[in-house]
Amino acid sequence: MSLPSSYFFFEPSSATPSLIIERAQGIYLYTKEGKEIIDAASGAVVVNIGQGREEIATIAQEQIKKLDYIVPIWLSEALEGLVKKLSEWFPTEPYRFYFTTGGAESVEAAFRFAFLYQIAENKPWKNKILSRWTSYHGITLGALSASGNRLRREHLEHCLLDWPKIPPPYCYRCPWSKTYPSCGIACAQALEEVLHSKTGNSIAAFIAEPIIGASGGAIVPVEEYWPAIADICKKHGLLLIVDEVMTGFGRTGKRFAFEHWKLQPDIIVSAKGLSGGYIPMGMLAVREELVQRCEKVAKNFMFFTYTSHPLSCAIAKKVIDILEAENLIDHSMKMGELLGQSLKNELANHPFVGEIRGKGLFWGVEFVKSKITKEPFPPEEGFLNRLLRKALELGVFFYPCQGMADGFSGEAVLVCPPLIVKEGDILKIVAVLKESLNQLI
C-alpha cells in the first residue's frame, strides 16, 4: 500500500505548530507525548460544554442502536425533541428550524431561503446578498462570496459572486476616521447608502455576525449599531440574517449574541456550539410567518443528505440540556466578566496590545507594532505565529485572527475557552498570554 506524502489534504505551513492530539477532557487537550494544553479557543470556538462527556457518549450509543438515518422528509423522535427544545429558546416569536452539518451549509440555506422569499413577494430581481468587509460566513462559494475576509477569498476572487459589502462597525480602526459618538453611527448609515445606490434594489438580505469573530477578533459594535441596522432592513424590505455560528448557544453570556441588542432577526444561522463539537451540525431558524409565505410558492425546501440526522439531533438536544442544567450561559457571563477584566488589568498597557474587546467568553486581543499609530505588525514578520508557538510551549492554545487592519495585515487572538472554564483556568490563560507577549519583546 502506498501512503500519501501527508495525512493532511494540504500540508500545513511550517509556521503552524504541528501537534498530534491523542485525547481531551473538559478544557484540556493531551498530545501523544502527554503534554497538557488548555484549549483557550474551544477548538474553533466549538467546544462549549467541554470534551469527554459521558452523558453524550451514552446518548450517541442509544440513538445509534435505535435509529441511525432516515430520509429527511420523515420525522424522528430525536428531531421532534430538538425542535421542541429550540422552540423554548425563541419565546417571543415562533421560528421554523432547518438542520445541516455545519455553518457554511446553514449560511447557504439562509441565502436560498432569502431568494425564495423575495420570489414569494413577487420581487425576483432581489437576487444579491449584502454583507460587510472584515467578515467570514463559510468556505463554500456562496458563503465566501458574502464573506469580507480577503485572506480567505484569496485565489478564489474570480469565482465568487460580485455581491456588495459595507465597512464593519470597527471603532478602533474606524473606516471613516471618525470618533464615537460624534460619528453619527456612519457604519450603520453605510447600509442605507448602499440601498439608495443603483444596486440597492437588487438586495434580498443583509447578513452579519453580531460580534465579528474570526476575521476581526471579537469586534463588538456600539449599542446603537444593531437597532439602526434592523430598522433600515425593515424599512427597505430586506431580510436580516444574523450569523451566530460562533456566538450562539451561550458563548457571549446570552443564548444568542443578538439578544444583547434585543433584536428579532428574520433568519438566525448557527452551528458550532449547537452540538458542542460532538458531531457536525448546523441550523437555520426562520420566522414562522416568512416560511408560511414561501410555502404558498414552493412545494419544498430541498434538504441536504444529512439534514435532521437523528444522531445529530439527539446529541444537539443533550448539549442544550447540559447548557441549561449546569447554568452554563450565566456561568459564561460571570466568567466572561472575570476574563475581560483580567485581560485589561494585565495587558492593557502592554506595548504590543492595541485593543481588548468582547462579551461573555468571547474576547479578542488585537496586537500592534505601535500603540500610538496603531500600526499592525507586517505579516512577513510572523509575529502572530511566534506568539502562538510561545503560548503552546507554555500550555495554552489561542485562536488566531488576521487581516482586520486592511484585509491582509492586522493580527489578534480570540480568547474563548469552553463555558465550563473555572476562575483558576482563566487566570492561567491570561498569565500565559502575558508571558508569551513578554517573551517577544
Side-chain angles (χ1 to χ4, degrees):
M1 180 177 67
S2 177
L3 289 173
S5 59
S6 174
Y7 289 102
F8 298 98
F9 183 58
F10 269 32
E11 184 65 27
S13 164
S14 58
T16 305
S18 180
L19 297 174
I20 299 176
I21 305 299
E22 192 168 73
R23 64 184 182 90
Q25 186 65 47
I27 70 167
Y28 297 97
L29 305 172
Y30 297 91
T31 69
K32 190 176 181 180
E33 296 75 26
K35 182 179 177 64
E36 183 180 83
I37 299 169
I38 293 178
D39 184 3
S42 297
V45 198
V46 174
V47 188
N48 281 10
I49 64 167
Q51 300 215 38
R53 291 269 190 169
E54 288 290 340
E55 56 267 59
I56 298 291
T58 298
I59 284 289
Q61 183 183 44
E62 290 174 354
Q63 184 60 50
I64 289 172
K65 287 180 178 180
K66 184 176 183 179
L67 176 64
D68 179 29
Y69 179 84
I70 54 173
V71 177
I73 60 172
W74 295 337
L75 179 64
S76 69
E77 185 180 342
L79 171 59
E80 185 179 12
L82 177 58
V83 169
K84 285 181 178 178
K85 174 58 67 176
L86 283 171
S87 295
E88 296 172 6
W89 279 44
F90 297 86
T92 59
E93 184 172 343
Y95 280 77
R96 293 270 194 100
F97 302 97
Y98 177 88
F99 299 104
T100 70
T101 62
E105 270 190 11
S106 299
V107 168
E108 295 280 356
F111 295 167
R112 185 156 46 101
F113 179 85
F115 298 141
L116 180 61
Y117 172 79
Q118 297 298 351
I119 289 174
E121 293 292 289
N122 295 312
K123 298 176 182 178
W125 58 85
K126 289 184 174 289
N127 58 5
K128 291 183 174 65
I129 302 295
L130 177 61
S131 57
R132 303 184 303 203
W133 292 109
T134 315
S135 66
Y136 184 62
H137 301 291
I139 204 62
T140 54
L141 292 182
L144 194 59
S145 294
S147 298
N149 186 314
R150 287 183 169 92
L151 286 168
R152 295 183 184 182
R153 291 168 63 95
E154 198 172 21
H155 305 306
L156 293 170
E157 290 277 4
H158 64 294
C159 303
L160 302 179
L161 295 163
D162 186 19
W163 287 342
K165 293 171 181 61
I166 61 174
Y170 187 12
C171 290
Y172 182 68
R173 298 184 184 277
C174 177
W176 294 268
S177 299
K178 295 183 177 183
T179 304
Y180 176 78
S182 61
C183 60
I185 319 300
C187 47
Q189 293 310 309
L191 175 58
E192 184 83 59
E193 291 168 10
V194 169
L195 296 175
H196 284 290
S197 72
K198 63 180 181 180
T199 61
N201 200 39
S202 65
I203 307 300
F206 175 68
I207 185 171
E209 303 155 277
I211 299 172
I212 301 172
S215 296
I219 297 174
V220 182
V222 296
E223 288 301 311
E224 299 92 333
Y225 178 79
W226 271 113
I229 289 290
D231 287 345
I232 293 168
C233 287
K234 185 175 183 179
K235 181 172 75 171
H236 290 273
L238 269 68
L239 294 184
L240 175 57
I241 306 171
V242 293
D243 182 341
E244 294 263 10
V245 171
M246 273 195 171
T247 53
F249 294 95
R251 173 52 56 187
T252 70
K254 298 280 189 181
R255 288 177 172 180
F256 295 96
F258 70 77
E259 294 176 13
H260 290 286
W261 294 274
K262 298 180 173 60
L263 300 179
Q264 194 71 57
D266 296 307
I267 301 174
I268 301 149
V269 173
S270 199
K272 295 184 185 282
L274 170 61
S275 60
Y278 283 93
I279 199 164
M281 194 174 191
M283 63 164 258
L284 190 65
V286 183
R287 285 173 49 219
E288 172 82 25
E289 65 171 288
L290 304 183
V291 178
Q292 288 181 1
R293 289 186 206 177
C294 289
E295 284 179 318
K296 295 176 182 178
V297 175
K299 292 182 179 179
N300 62 51
F301 191 73
M302 186 61 192
F303 53 80
F304 295 100
T305 299
Y306 294 109
T307 292
S308 304
H309 190 277
L311 178 60
S312 300
C313 290
I315 288 175
K317 181 183 180 298
K318 188 62 179 178
V319 168
I320 297 172
D321 287 342
I322 291 170
L323 287 172
E324 292 178 338
E326 298 182 11
N327 295 314
L328 291 181
I329 298 174
D330 289 342
H331 187 72
S332 173
M333 181 64 78
K334 180 181 177 182
M335 290 296 101
E337 290 171 357
L338 174 64
L339 175 58
Q341 196 57 55
S342 298
L343 287 168
K344 291 174 182 178
N345 290 344
E346 296 298 323
L347 299 177
N349 295 321
H350 196 283
F352 291 160
V353 172
E355 187 177 46
I356 300 166
R357 60 231 177 191
K359 282 183 181 292
L361 284 171
F362 194 63
W363 283 84
V365 181
E366 182 172 342
F367 307 114
V368 291
K369 194 167 187 176
S370 167
K371 289 179 81 77
I372 297 173
T373 66
K374 302 181 184 178
E375 176 192 358
F377 286 96
E380 59 271 18
E381 287 190 12
F383 174 86
L384 186 58
N385 282 324
R386 288 186 286 125
L387 176 69
L388 293 174
R389 282 183 176 275
K390 291 289 184 185
L392 277 172
E393 289 172 7
L394 296 172
V396 178
F397 171 64
F398 297 100
Y399 189 98
C401 306
Q402 295 176 283
M404 66 286 303
D406 60 11
F408 296 97
S409 63
E411 296 176 328
V413 292
L414 284 175
V415 187
C416 41
L419 308 191
I420 60 170
V421 70
K422 297 177 181 178
E423 182 175 340
D425 304 318
I426 285 175
L427 297 179
K428 180 175 180 179
I429 288 167
V430 174
V432 165
L433 183 54
K434 182 178 181 179
E435 178 60 23
S436 301
L437 284 166
N438 287 339
Q439 290 189 24
L440 295 180
I441 294 176

